[in-house]
Amino acid sequence: MIDRFLRILFPEICPVCKKPSTDHVTAPICADCWQAISSYEGPACQKCGKPLVSDVSITCGECLEDEPAFEWVRSFGLYDGALKEAISLFKYYKIKRLSRPLSEMMLKIRIPHTDAVIPVPLTKKKLRQREFNQAALFAKHIANRIGAKIILNCLIKIRDTAPQVGLNAEERRKNIKNAFGIVNKEVIQGKSVILVDDVFTTGATIRNCAKLLKKAGAGEVYAVTLAHSMRD
Ligand SMILES: [Zn+2]
Ligand SMILES: [Zn+2]
């Protein structure tokens, strides 16, 4: 209440258009910029959801070369503009109230009704630093909506990895090797799963996590992310 009152008196400046934001739900992003966030409807890889230049091919080179363990990945929008800004405000500036409107955005993806929802985990160290796992907050909303169980005690992140951007496929595989692990594999055996993450950047994380889940006995694995990085 007080928070809302203060924001009416002293509106925050929208980081996208630099105008005062009076929308308490999405502040500091203003209502105009928020409403301008749109889903990506262009051509995309049918497997990993990667935006493609044309719809001549329906599977990207990486998915053709290295068949993914997941059924498919779908993302709401492109990692750009106000959506990119909103994710960074939520994740790095800890503006947790954005969790709900961002989750609502994510729920616009046609999400399959699986047995379980699993967020891409953070290492214990990262979790302590960041105080929350953004993917887990999205996963909670999704699990509630589809009536599935959220599983947090199975897929774990063992060590932090260097950013994947700028690495080639081989380097990415090396970088991610042994970064994730599975414990309590009985909780996912035979279960269909949706993996949840905020951004699909190179896909190395989701490819790796899906592989581990399948290897541990999970049924179909799908993944959804709020944003997908732009075409390279
Ligand atoms: Zn704005
Ligand atoms: Zn692909």
Side-chain angles (χ1 to χ4, degrees):
M1 240 350 231
I2 293 169
D3 199 32
R4 189 179 296 186
F5 183 65
L6 281 174
R7 236 173 279 134
I8 292 165
L9 285 180
F10 309 104
E12 293 175 85
I13 299 300
C14 172
V16 184
C17 69
K18 315 293 178 211
K19 288 181 194 144
S21 170
T22 48
D23 188 323
H24 66 270
V25 180
T26 62
I29 294 178
C30 74
D32 287 345
C33 288
W34 192 273
Q35 266 143 35
I37 297 175
S38 59
S39 60
Y40 175 73
E41 305 291 349
C45 170
Q46 57 170 355
K47 286 300 260 185
C48 73
K50 180 193 170 111
L52 298 172
V53 185
S54 77
D55 45 19
V56 175
S57 57
I58 50 168
T59 309
C60 77
E62 197 168 355
C63 289
L64 282 174
E65 252 171 58
D66 184 14
E67 167 96 28
F70 50 71
E71 300 297 314
W72 48 249
V73 185
R74 293 292 177 267
S75 306
F76 170 75
L78 292 178
Y79 189 53
D80 191 29
L83 182 56
K84 185 174 178 178
E85 194 68 52
I87 292 172
S88 123
L89 289 167
F90 173 48
K91 198 162 144 180
Y92 304 114
Y93 293 86
K94 304 181 171 120
I95 302 182
K96 273 171 94 175
R97 64 171 175 275
L98 293 177
S99 145
R100 185 169 289 276
L102 286 175
S103 298
E104 285 304 323
M105 224 174 250
M106 216 164 165
L107 283 162
K108 290 182 183 155
I109 301 171
R110 195 184 53 82
I111 294 175
H113 284 239
T114 55
D115 301 313
V117 179
I118 300 184
V120 168
L122 299 176
T123 57
K124 278 188 184 154
K125 188 175 150 216
K126 254 292 161 49
L127 189 58
R128 261 199 307 273
Q129 284 169 357
R130 201 176 282 166
E131 296 160 30
F132 63 92
N133 176 0
Q134 71 284 355
L137 293 181
F138 294 144
K140 209 173 88 187
H141 285 285
I142 291 171
N144 276 343
R145 185 66 60 93
I146 65 170
K149 220 172 124 176
I150 178 163
I151 295 181
L152 300 167
N153 63 344
C154 177
L155 181 65
I156 55 164
K157 190 158 188 195
I158 301 160
R159 61 172 181 86
D160 281 314
T161 42
Q164 304 278 356
V165 177
L167 304 181
N168 66 34
E170 182 52 37
E171 289 165 333
R172 290 204 295 265
R173 262 194 290 274
K174 235 184 221 162
N175 185 33
I176 207 103
K177 197 165 183 246
N178 303 324
F180 293 91
I182 299 275
V183 291
N184 307 315
K185 62 178 177 190
E186 65 283 357
V187 299
I188 50 143
Q189 258 153 22
K191 300 244 161 63
S192 55
V193 172
I194 301 176
L195 263 169
V196 178
D197 207 358
D198 52 353
V199 185
F200 185 108
T201 310
T202 64
T205 297
I206 285 179
R207 282 174 200 276
N208 188 256
C209 291
K211 217 174 264 177
L212 290 174
L213 289 167
K214 290 292 276 194
K215 215 173 135 197
E220 289 167 332
V221 176
Y222 302 86
V224 294
T225 74
L226 187 53
H228 203 299
S229 64
M230 314 275 282
R231 300 179 193 103
D232 10 82

